[in-house]
Amino acid sequence: MSSKIRLGILGGGGDSLIGVLHRVASAMYDQYQIVGGVFNPVWEENIDFAKQIDIPTNRIYIDFDALIEEELKLPEDERMQVVSVLTPNFLHFPMAKKLLENGFNVICEKPMTMSYKEAKILESTLQKSGALFAITYTYTGYPMIRQMREMIADGAIGKVQKIDAQYYQGWINPIIHDAEKRANTWRLNPEKGGISCCIGDIGTHAFDMIEYVTQLKVGKVLADLNYVYEDNQMDVDGTVLIRCTNGVKGVIRTSQIATGEENNFTVQIYGEKAGLKWEQENPNYLYLLEDGQPLRVLKPGHDYNSKLSLEGSKMPPGHPEGIFDSMGNIYKGIAKAIKGESYNYGEFPTMIDGVRGMNFIERVVESHKKGNVWVNIDE
Amino acid sequence: MSSKIRLGILGGGGDSLIGVLHRVASAMYDQYQIVGGVFNPVWEENIDFAKQIDIPTNRIYIDFDALIEEELKLPEDERMQVVSVLTPNFLHFPMAKKLLENGFNVICEKPMTMSYKEAKILESTLQKSGALFAITYTYTGYPMIRQMREMIADGAIGKVQKIDAQYYQGWINPIIHDAEKRANTWRLNPEKGGISCCIGDIGTHAFDMIEYVTQLKVGKVLADLNYVYEDNQMDVDGTVLIRCTNGVKGVIRTSQIATGEENNFTVQIYGEKAGLKWEQENPNYLYLLEDGQPLRVLKPGHDYNSKLSLEGSKMPPGHPEGIFDSMGNIYKGIAKAIKGESYNYGEFPTMIDGVRGMNFIERVVESHKKGNVWVNIDE
Amino acid sequence: MSSKIRLGILGGGGDSLIGVLHRVASAMYDQYQIVGGVFNPVWEENIDFAKQIDIPTNRIYIDFDALIEEELKLPEDERMQVVSVLTPNFLHFPMAKKLLENGFNVICEKPMTMSYKEAKILESTLQKSGALFAITYTYTGYPMIRQMREMIADGAIGKVQKIDAQYYQGWINPIIHDAEKRANTWRLNPEKGGISCCIGDIGTHAFDMIEYVTQLKVGKVLADLNYVYEDNQMDVDGTVLIRCTNGVKGVIRTSQIATGEENNFTVQIYGEKAGLKWEQENPNYLYLLEDGQPLRVLKPGHDYNSKLSLEGSKMPPGHPEGIFDSMGNIYKGIAKAIKGESYNYGEFPTMIDGVRGMNFIERVVESHKKGNVWVNIDE
Amino acid sequence: MSSKIRLGILGGGGDSLIGVLHRVASAMYDQYQIVGGVFNPVWEENIDFAKQIDIPTNRIYIDFDALIEEELKLPEDERMQVVSVLTPNFLHFPMAKKLLENGFNVICEKPMTMSYKEAKILESTLQKSGALFAITYTYTGYPMIRQMREMIADGAIGKVQKIDAQYYQGWINPIIHDAEKRANTWRLNPEKGGISCCIGDIGTHAFDMIEYVTQLKVGKVLADLNYVYEDNQMDVDGTVLIRCTNGVKGVIRTSQIATGEENNFTVQIYGEKAGLKWEQENPNYLYLLEDGQPLRVLKPGHDYNSKLSLEGSKMPPGHPEGIFDSMGNIYKGIAKAIKGESYNYGEFPTMIDGVRGMNFIERVVESHKKGNVWVNIDE
């Protein structure tokens, strides 16, 4: 009998990038075995793909409901221990909810739900279930982000006094200026994408990251979004002034029309003693700026890093690891939790991150629609 | 008789950094000769310094009024043709005003005046005088900033759709947390520094730069400033949402409590075709981001640059020039104007920049004080 | 029956870094299943580790000979299709040889053998066997290295005229200055490490990389090695002048006493039209330098890259991949070859690379020992 | 009477870049006044240029001999105190020699002479003269190079154990492949350029820099030069193995056919405790690599720098200075020496640097011509 965690997967079949990311991540530390799932809504594509990745025929399910029904019939020590939900956004909520209700641990892609209301329901479902829930804000798994969090917690920069996060992409630029294209892009369709495109997709990463590294809570927001065209229903750019509950000010800047940008997500946190900076596109460098001192550049795998950071790199310094390794670290943390081992709260994002993320999205849109005014985020 | 422009200087004596910057800048292209001035309010220090830089005794003046009086007695072809005003901020206005009223061309350090009202008065003085007025927003003299301006004007990035400027410093951090220090720093004293510290000192650079490179006008602002302590009367950090008169949105981010930052001024402009980025601390690189193309890094001195940019570098590619060279380029442009030669409007900032800068400062503070609301900037 | 390739593994158990690298690499594209192996010479550690990664008990072998014997008893469609040799260096040759003699495909870590003579024997064994042999020069799997190779092949830089490769590390510095430590480090012990430390371990990477990206052959070498201490038997630093068979000159610079360097491997190739530069520690950037043109920075995942390069990235631009992904690409190419699918010769290094690498090491040491003279490398 | 040093200039008129560089450098610290010279061999161009930079008519000389003759007639307190020799290379020696013989201090551009023999003669002339001689290896004036020198002297990196300098340019690439162009380029003509192009022009910078920062002496060289074409008489690329008199090994790599490179001069020095790296194209960053520590990046103007380094920056941190400022620092040091003030030996290069540079060039060419063998450099 395998000692690995039995993992089921919903979605992620065919050429799905998110599917590759989760499969590789689950393999990184020899902790999981993918035992079954529904990889594609079309049966033939589902079965073809499942065979390709060696899923035994009896655990390739025709749909989500069948998966739950059949898995529950299996003895507990054969049943899936956790299910990764990689389906389109609108399916996250119903799937995660039913999984939790039936006692399955859940790993859920972001955004967790389509609305804050759904998020609150899911939170309450989780509380009743006793199961485990993780949401894959991938970037929190980077070793130097973990290092940033722990350095701030340890007082390396003193009390935080200034926050600045940027998430700039350019991929909507070729779409937004073409009326037909913008009408036919699902991300710009509120029925499929929810109430926000740019804030929903990438602003939430920035928001979650700020709370992750500082362990502060954002208390209110004032947002100026950009829809570019009148007929466009979803924001593709937006700047959000933030205020933490302890009064610290900051800004979140997001764009999908920053032409030519790829995935330029940066975090700058300044404290009373020093500053820390990080860029997702060069994730293995953490910059420590201290007044009157040479700039210091921390890198993964060195003894000067925290235990949490060091656990996130597999190779010695100078052997760059990337986004797959970051997601692998999140899966590693979840494995510890599933196995009942002790783990650091910073090892993977949870329901709290998911709920706050949905609240953030709705409050930002509210702030914008009310004319760029301050709106509170629930504690 | 020298063919060089006869330059007078007010202030900048002793160890003054701004004095060195202007003197070297004036020498860069063999265009100016410093013929006289008042370098220091203390007579002995004034005369000592003036002798050190070879000013003939008869043109070392006891004070500003004497300078004007005596210079006017000289025949026109001996008289100072232009005077650089490098004195403390509150003296800029009265000195520039009187100089203009007496027909002298003026090069003025920023901030131009202590208030928008003064700025408007000075503007009207200038109009009556027929003299020339330049304000030294130093950074606009960098070759790659000039290249950025001309590329945008030539449509290299298409219609501008997103603006982001950052000016982060950390030098006030060691001051702000000490009640005594913050009470005794002139920049934090409204009587000496005007109504704003951070926005006034560096925010204006960002504002001017945005208008310089895009040739758009900022139409309104919504600002959130940070004073950190209740007893502190001047902002030391602030984020400003901007909207250009043509509707383009952007953000100006400034801080003097970004601990460990030196002079981290960056500009990012994104258009419908491409994006352009520049960093003051590495001023010889201009980044062109075009969707689906390799990132291109433009550098000074290459034939692919515009004439305006090429005129701003003295050496072949690979020989880095810096901030002295940038200021030298501004002086070079002013020399052309004084000599009546044709010059590009982008060669040096003028009264318009000075007036708009003062308006920006006041509207930003107004926006903040009114509770972070939109406030219009005069056209 | 699984559609995945049945992979056996020799070595790589316990905390072995190389073990993790190969296991993850084999999982990256869902192409392999690890079906058995010998992971550790100590039986209990072997079995413990093997169980941990879910190897069925009957295919955890007591030693290498048992593995071959037992696997050969299995029907061909159950038998290991390829075996990865991750054992200490001196075991590479006997293991690879016996595997090939028994018809197994082999993936071998570098250095391939302990001597050029062994390498030639192995080459001849391979020729007789009809099996497949791959050697894991990991760095050739990076997408931008593949892009470099194909751009050079396509004439993007014109005829190559200058080659410069650097491989600087600092890890031996804390060892070399301590007589006891240097006596007890296996890499500095010729019985365990072969005739060269620095050239053998990292110089070969540089040599292989040059031939990989330029598709030129190095024809002769003149080397100056550094042993630092008289009692030290192995080089820890060395510079090698190279001349390609077509006359092109270049230099390979290697060091393990470049204090503070991590894994600083760079390649610079200049041609008659342009130059190309790459750095292993920032592997997702390829710099194209063309006279009179802006510097261009190519990144993975863009359509402007070659098919070979694009096959090597799993995520869209801006999602950094690293060394695990690079090794994954090599395993992907080997999978194609094993399955009989068509593949690009650049997808994985082969016996030719292994043989040339061993020849290079011996000729470099010979050149040094003869007093820094030119020595030919066999064609 | 001016307190400034009376400076004469030979050459550097018209559009000469080197002329601008020296004039601006001399103005940087208000230390020099250009009082006369011969700027151009053509009288009309000479006088036009001289007037343009305000030289009084009576000190615009018709030729070099006239300058010496007439200046000697002036009272000592009016006579030129130092003369900068900026003429074509072959004139450096006769001019410097005659100037020294007549008691003038000399600032000489590099290469100092056309041959080592001339260099030795000039050295002996200097010894007899009692005058001051400086040679403008411009790059040694950069603040972070000075910092590097002093950190090494202070033991910051421990005993030096590895040296690597690179000087790569690409400007000869468009010339070298065209027979007519290479025949007509003065740098490739031994009568005008001496015995070496690449080593003579840029290799000497690398050689001088190594000795400047480490304060070691290179004892012997083994060189492999590249002439690319048979009919080409001058090297355009070359790699030089070096050995210091204390046994430390290193390499100097130079090229003018590194296509697309601008002025890519880098120095890497590794010691038993740490390493230091610097790049001329980004001269304001000094990288300190220490085993097991974060990379540290030192920048100009900070208190952590040495006095010598701090004297080389005029502005606060974050205000980039460049090559003009570097040359300005050299002129500043020379001014101290002329005035009889105390100065640091590292403030400007002297005859020793000039003589050793010429010796280096000749030994490198000798090594290459003898078949890439070791050749000693005179102590």
Side-chain angles (χ1 to χ4, degrees), chain A residues 2-4 17 23-24 28 30 54 262-263 280 282 285 302 314-315 318-320 322-325, chain C residues 2-4 17 23-24 28 30 54 262-263 280 282 285 299 302 314-315 318-320 322-325:
Chain A
S2 167
S3 63
K4 289 187 179 169
L17 298 177
R23 281 199 304 283
V24 173
M28 283 256 165
D30 306 305
D54 275 338
E262 299 181 351
N263 200 33
Q280 192 275 144
N282 289 287
Y285 300 85
H302 285 284
K314 300 177 287 298
M315 295 288 279
H319 296 77
I323 192 154
F324 282 81
D325 308 275
Chain C
S2 166
S3 64
K4 288 188 180 169
L17 298 177
R23 281 199 305 283
V24 173
M28 283 255 166
D30 306 303
D54 275 337
E262 298 181 352
N263 201 33
Q280 191 277 142
N282 290 288
Y285 300 85
K299 303 184 200 171
H302 285 284
K314 300 178 287 298
M315 295 287 279
H319 296 78
I323 192 155
F324 282 80
D325 308 274

Side-chain angles (χ1 to χ4, degrees), chain A residues 228-286:
Chain A
V228 184
Y229 292 94
E230 296 260 324
D231 65 2
N232 177 35
Q233 302 175 73
M234 309 275 281
D235 56 293
V236 294
D237 172 283
T239 305
V240 185
L241 305 179
I242 62 172
R243 198 152 308 164
C244 294
T245 52
N246 74 345
V248 170
K249 296 184 175 191
V251 60
I252 291 174
R253 302 168 287 120
T254 66
S255 189
Q256 293 166 326
I257 55 165
T259 310
E261 293 286 7
E262 299 181 351
N263 200 33
N264 194 345
F265 178 22
T266 70
V267 192
Q268 299 165 257
I269 309 289
Y270 302 96
E272 293 189 4
K273 284 169 55 182
L276 281 168
K277 295 163 78 167
W278 177 86
E279 303 173 354
Q280 192 275 144
E281 295 190 5
N282 289 287
N284 295 311
Y285 300 85
L286 178 61

